[in-house]
């Protein structure tokens, strides 16, 4: 790699960007991930490097071990009265001695909690996985390894509280034993996988968010002696990267490599980064500039009400042919942009056709770890966020449009921890009409 070589022309993308910035940090070289997108050659990046970190200073947790009585001044990330704090502690198994930390929710956690409370009989953000085991001993070993990973990570021992509070908070328990439920299934009612899926369908089943951990394991045996475990985890505590890290750590425990795992990183650092980094005023200024003159929603085929309990959802999957994927990546490299930029512009074109508008707004899912601070590439928790992106299509040539989309995504990265509710309020679309009804996740 030469000093004039370009990060995106070499095939760089956001996942590699986070890894690169973290490896630089470990060697005493500090830069915002945004700098990699604005100065993508090695020489330009070198000029943007700082010798000292410019990261947010996270106030330390003030709750000592074996604490028998909590006081508001022990909680630097949240403001609670003594009465509110006492009511929170009363809801924790084991009381104050089992409370490790209390702090607010991250931006997307707030949105997910809202949808949980909006759907009293279902839970659209309950993630399920069915695992099959050759014998009961293998199943028991898996559960033991999973509990060991829960013991390591704060976010996996977190409960949510909101009743009677000025804002929702998350409470980290010091010890959160996993709930295991054993079931007897009727072979006449279908396979074990089918019966587990029906019984714990998120459209009819919910977790109690007030008790940690926000996961459950349901186990059963079929007539052939195979064992199954349905693992339910709430999206409030995981994103896709976290799920991959969780599986890898369970594997490390099962293979006897637990001693080689890196020290766990607290999710509170990310919450502090989101709260204390870019100010609310800066977020508001950015989104008012982007959306202030948008007065009508972008609604494909005029469909505005996209809410429901999930029962009406139809899914379609289409594989991208390898030849098309190669051409996309070659095109991105030749333009010096990310493949994501081309795909976002393509979706904007789809919306323009389907909504009869040349100026469109849609939601995009952000990785959330680009501004996530130290160790963001390996921390567990819900880092992703959803924010609006505005694209005007047809006004310029395609290459210019791609570069403009790339630039807008770069600018959005600086605000990846903003609240979607704040962003929507900055538009000219009056509530309760939604600003957009489609979401693009690259």
């Amino acid at each position: 790699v030469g000093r004039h070589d370009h990060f995106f022309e070499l095939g760089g993308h956001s996942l590699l960007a986070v890894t690169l910035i973290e490896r630089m940090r470990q060697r005493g070289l500090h830069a915002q991930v945004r700098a990699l997108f604005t100065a993508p050659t090695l020489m330009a990046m070198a000029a943007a490097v700082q010798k000292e970190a410019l990261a947010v200073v996270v106030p330390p947790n003030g709750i000592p071990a074996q604490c028998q009585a909590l006081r508001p001044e022990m909680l630097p990330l949240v403001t609670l009265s003594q009465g509110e704090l006492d009511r929170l502690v009363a809801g924790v198994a084991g009381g104050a001695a089992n409370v490790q930390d209390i702090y607010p929710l991250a931006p997307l956690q707030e949105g997910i909690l809202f949808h949980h409370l909006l759907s009293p009989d279902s839970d659209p953000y309950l993630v399920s996985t069915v695992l099959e085991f050759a014998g009961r001993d293998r199943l028991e070993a898996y559960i033991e390894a999973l509990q060991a990973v829960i013991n390591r990570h704060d976010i996996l021992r977190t409960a949510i509280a909101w009743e009677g509070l000025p804002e929702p908070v998350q409470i980290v328990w010091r010890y959160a034993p996993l709930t295991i439920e054993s079931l007897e299934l009727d072979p006449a009612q279908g396979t074990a996988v089918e019966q587990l899926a029906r019984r714990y369908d998120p459209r009819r089943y919910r977790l109690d968010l007030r008790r940690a951990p926000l996961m459950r394991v349901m186990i059963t045996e079929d007539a052939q002696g195979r064992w199954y475990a349905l693992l339910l985890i709430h999206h409030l505590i995981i994103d896709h990267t976290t799920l991959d890290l969780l599986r890898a750590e369970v594997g490390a425990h099962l293979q006897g490599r637990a001693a080689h795992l890196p020290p766990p990183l607290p999710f509170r650092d990310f919450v502090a980064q989101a709260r204390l980094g870019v100010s609310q005023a800066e977020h508001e200024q950015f989104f008012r500039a982007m959306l202030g003159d948008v007065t009508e929603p972008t609604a494909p085929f005029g469909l505005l009400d996209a809410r429901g309990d999930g029962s009406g959802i139809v899914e379609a999957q289409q594989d991208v042919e390898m030849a098309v994927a190669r051409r996309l990546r070659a095109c991105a490299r030749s333009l010096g942009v990310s493949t994501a930029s081309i795909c976002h512009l393509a979706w904007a074109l789809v919306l323009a056709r389907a909504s009869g508008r040349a100026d469109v707004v849609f939601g995009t899912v952000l990785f959330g770890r680009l501004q996530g601070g130290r160790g963001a590439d390996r921390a567990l928790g819900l880092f992703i966020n959803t924010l609006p992106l505005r694209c005007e299509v047809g006004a310029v040539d395609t290459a210019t449009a791609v570069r403009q989309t790339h630039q807008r995504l770069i600018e959005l990265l600086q605000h990846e921890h903003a609240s979607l509710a704040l962003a929507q309020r900055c538009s000219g679309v009056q509530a309760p009409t939604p600003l957009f009804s489609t979401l693009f996740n690259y």
Side-chain angles (χ1 to χ4, degrees), residues 83-103:
E84 291 164 344
L85 183 54
D86 291 342
R87 288 195 297 274
L88 282 180
V89 171
V92 176
N98 197 29
V99 176
Q100 179 182 313
D101 206 350
I102 301 175
Y103 43 81

mmCIF file of all heavy atoms in Angstrom, residues 83-103:
data_model
loop_
_atom_site.group_PDB
_atom_site.id
_atom_site.type_symbol
_atom_site.label_atom_id
_atom_site.label_comp_id
_atom_site.label_asym_id
_atom_site.label_seq_id
_atom_site.Cartn_x
_atom_site.Cartn_y
_atom_site.Cartn_z
ATOM 1 N N GLY A 83 -35.948 9.089 45.921
ATOM 2 C CA GLY A 83 -37.156 8.265 45.871
ATOM 3 C C GLY A 83 -37.218 7.418 44.616
ATOM 4 O O GLY A 83 -37.575 6.230 44.675
ATOM 5 N N GLU A 84 -36.885 8.021 43.478
ATOM 6 C CA GLU A 84 -36.885 7.266 42.221
ATOM 7 C C GLU A 84 -35.852 6.151 42.259
ATOM 8 O O GLU A 84 -36.109 5.022 41.810
ATOM 9 C CB GLU A 84 -36.599 8.209 41.057
ATOM 10 C CG GLU A 84 -37.731 9.188 40.766
ATOM 11 C CD GLU A 84 -37.314 10.348 39.882
ATOM 12 O OE1 GLU A 84 -36.080 10.579 39.735
ATOM 13 O OE2 GLU A 84 -38.198 11.025 39.347
ATOM 14 N N LEU A 85 -34.688 6.451 42.816
ATOM 15 C CA LEU A 85 -33.621 5.460 42.913
ATOM 16 C C LEU A 85 -34.033 4.307 43.821
ATOM 17 O O LEU A 85 -33.801 3.129 43.503
ATOM 18 C CB LEU A 85 -32.344 6.121 43.424
ATOM 19 C CG LEU A 85 -31.094 5.261 43.524
ATOM 20 C CD1 LEU A 85 -30.784 4.576 42.201
ATOM 21 C CD2 LEU A 85 -29.900 6.109 43.971
ATOM 22 N N ASP A 86 -34.668 4.626 44.940
ATOM 23 C CA ASP A 86 -35.114 3.578 45.868
ATOM 24 C C ASP A 86 -36.130 2.652 45.216
ATOM 25 O O ASP A 86 -36.097 1.428 45.418
ATOM 26 C CB ASP A 86 -35.710 4.207 47.130
ATOM 27 C CG ASP A 86 -34.666 4.913 47.993
ATOM 28 O OD1 ASP A 86 -33.460 4.625 47.800
ATOM 29 O OD2 ASP A 86 -35.046 5.744 48.834
ATOM 30 N N ARG A 87 -37.034 3.217 44.408
ATOM 31 C CA ARG A 87 -38.027 2.378 43.719
ATOM 32 C C ARG A 87 -37.355 1.482 42.680
ATOM 33 O O ARG A 87 -37.759 0.326 42.503
ATOM 34 C CB ARG A 87 -39.086 3.266 43.052
ATOM 35 C CG ARG A 87 -40.041 3.920 44.047
ATOM 36 C CD ARG A 87 -41.279 4.472 43.343
ATOM 37 N NE ARG A 87 -40.959 5.531 42.393
ATOM 38 C CZ ARG A 87 -40.835 6.809 42.726
ATOM 39 N NH1 ARG A 87 -40.991 7.191 43.990
ATOM 40 N NH2 ARG A 87 -40.552 7.719 41.811
ATOM 41 N N LEU A 88 -36.337 1.997 42.007
ATOM 42 C CA LEU A 88 -35.596 1.172 41.051
ATOM 43 C C LEU A 88 -34.930 -0.008 41.739
ATOM 44 O O LEU A 88 -35.009 -1.152 41.286
ATOM 45 C CB LEU A 88 -34.533 2.013 40.339
ATOM 46 C CG LEU A 88 -34.963 2.946 39.219
ATOM 47 C CD1 LEU A 88 -33.758 3.679 38.664
ATOM 48 C CD2 LEU A 88 -35.660 2.184 38.115
ATOM 49 N N VAL A 89 -34.257 0.276 42.845
ATOM 50 C CA VAL A 89 -33.528 -0.766 43.578
ATOM 51 C C VAL A 89 -34.486 -1.841 44.087
ATOM 52 O O VAL A 89 -34.166 -3.035 44.090
ATOM 53 C CB VAL A 89 -32.729 -0.142 44.742
ATOM 54 C CG1 VAL A 89 -32.147 -1.225 45.638
ATOM 55 C CG2 VAL A 89 -31.617 0.749 44.201
ATOM 56 N N ALA A 90 -35.696 -1.426 44.484
ATOM 57 C CA ALA A 90 -36.677 -2.381 44.998
ATOM 58 C C ALA A 90 -37.088 -3.397 43.937
ATOM 59 O O ALA A 90 -37.527 -4.506 44.264
ATOM 60 C CB ALA A 90 -37.902 -1.633 45.514
ATOM 61 N N GLY A 91 -36.922 -3.056 42.656
ATOM 62 C CA GLY A 91 -37.282 -3.976 41.587
ATOM 63 C C GLY A 91 -36.168 -4.897 41.139
ATOM 64 O O GLY A 91 -36.356 -5.708 40.225
ATOM 65 N N VAL A 92 -35.001 -4.803 41.786
ATOM 66 C CA VAL A 92 -33.850 -5.636 41.412
ATOM 67 C C VAL A 92 -33.740 -6.817 42.368
ATOM 68 O O VAL A 92 -33.754 -6.635 43.589
ATOM 69 C CB VAL A 92 -32.544 -4.812 41.451
ATOM 70 C CG1 VAL A 92 -31.337 -5.706 41.165
ATOM 71 C CG2 VAL A 92 -32.608 -3.669 40.450
ATOM 72 N N ALA A 93 -33.648 -8.026 41.828
ATOM 73 C CA ALA A 93 -33.442 -9.203 42.674
ATOM 74 C C ALA A 93 -32.130 -9.063 43.431
ATOM 75 O O ALA A 93 -31.079 -8.880 42.831
ATOM 76 C CB ALA A 93 -33.418 -10.469 41.808
ATOM 77 N N GLY A 94 -32.188 -9.102 44.763
ATOM 78 C CA GLY A 94 -30.982 -8.936 45.565
ATOM 79 C C GLY A 94 -30.765 -7.519 46.044
ATOM 80 O O GLY A 94 -29.821 -7.250 46.791
ATOM 81 N N GLY A 95 -31.602 -6.580 45.581
ATOM 82 C CA GLY A 95 -31.529 -5.211 46.076
ATOM 83 C C GLY A 95 -30.271 -4.473 45.648
ATOM 84 O O GLY A 95 -29.637 -4.780 44.637
ATOM 85 N N ALA A 96 -29.886 -3.489 46.457
ATOM 86 C CA ALA A 96 -28.774 -2.593 46.125
ATOM 87 C C ALA A 96 -27.465 -3.346 45.902
ATOM 88 O O ALA A 96 -26.651 -2.955 45.058
ATOM 89 C CB ALA A 96 -28.600 -1.550 47.228
ATOM 90 N N ALA A 97 -27.249 -4.418 46.655
ATOM 91 C CA ALA A 97 -26.001 -5.171 46.530
ATOM 92 C C ALA A 97 -25.841 -5.782 45.138
ATOM 93 O O ALA A 97 -24.726 -6.112 44.726
ATOM 94 C CB ALA A 97 -25.934 -6.262 47.597
ATOM 95 N N ASN A 98 -26.967 -5.933 44.396
ATOM 96 C CA ASN A 98 -26.907 -6.537 43.067
ATOM 97 C C ASN A 98 -26.964 -5.493 41.954
ATOM 98 O O ASN A 98 -27.087 -5.832 40.784
ATOM 99 C CB ASN A 98 -28.048 -7.548 42.879
ATOM 100 C CG ASN A 98 -27.797 -8.499 41.712
ATOM 101 O OD1 ASN A 98 -26.657 -8.806 41.375
ATOM 102 N ND2 ASN A 98 -28.873 -8.964 41.084
ATOM 103 N N VAL A 99 -26.870 -4.217 42.317
ATOM 104 C CA VAL A 99 -26.874 -3.153 41.310
ATOM 105 C C VAL A 99 -25.440 -2.709 41.038
ATOM 106 O O VAL A 99 -24.759 -2.205 41.925
ATOM 107 C CB VAL A 99 -27.714 -1.939 41.767
ATOM 108 C CG1 VAL A 99 -27.606 -0.814 40.734
ATOM 109 C CG2 VAL A 99 -29.170 -2.344 41.953
ATOM 110 N N GLN A 100 -24.982 -2.906 39.814
ATOM 111 C CA GLN A 100 -23.622 -2.522 39.440
ATOM 112 C C GLN A 100 -23.569 -1.114 38.868
ATOM 113 O O GLN A 100 -22.623 -0.370 39.095
ATOM 114 C CB GLN A 100 -23.060 -3.506 38.418
ATOM 115 C CG GLN A 100 -21.649 -3.166 37.940
ATOM 116 C CD GLN A 100 -21.158 -4.146 36.907
ATOM 117 O OE1 GLN A 100 -21.275 -5.357 37.088
ATOM 118 N NE2 GLN A 100 -20.618 -3.638 35.797
ATOM 119 N N ASP A 101 -24.613 -0.728 38.096
ATOM 120 C CA ASP A 101 -24.595 0.583 37.449
ATOM 121 C C ASP A 101 -26.002 0.915 36.967
ATOM 122 O O ASP A 101 -26.839 0.011 36.761
ATOM 123 C CB ASP A 101 -23.629 0.577 36.259
ATOM 124 C CG ASP A 101 -23.078 1.960 35.928
ATOM 125 O OD1 ASP A 101 -23.579 2.943 36.494
ATOM 126 O OD2 ASP A 101 -22.160 2.048 35.099
ATOM 127 N N ILE A 102 -26.266 2.204 36.787
ATOM 128 C CA ILE A 102 -27.528 2.690 36.217
ATOM 129 C C ILE A 102 -27.199 3.856 35.292
ATOM 130 O O ILE A 102 -26.468 4.766 35.684
ATOM 131 C CB ILE A 102 -28.520 3.151 37.308
ATOM 132 C CG1 ILE A 102 -28.840 2.009 38.287
ATOM 133 C CG2 ILE A 102 -29.817 3.673 36.672
ATOM 134 C CD1 ILE A 102 -29.719 2.434 39.457
ATOM 135 N N TYR A 103 -27.721 3.808 34.064
ATOM 136 C CA TYR A 103 -27.487 4.903 33.121
ATOM 137 C C TYR A 103 -28.597 4.916 32.082
ATOM 138 O O TYR A 103 -29.400 3.971 32.001
ATOM 139 C CB TYR A 103 -26.110 4.794 32.469
ATOM 140 C CG TYR A 103 -25.702 3.409 32.018
ATOM 141 C CD1 TYR A 103 -26.146 2.886 30.813
ATOM 142 C CD2 TYR A 103 -24.832 2.638 32.795
ATOM 143 C CE1 TYR A 103 -25.749 1.629 30.388
ATOM 144 C CE2 TYR A 103 -24.426 1.371 32.378
ATOM 145 C CZ TYR A 103 -24.894 0.874 31.173
ATOM 146 O OH TYR A 103 -24.501 -0.372 30.753
#
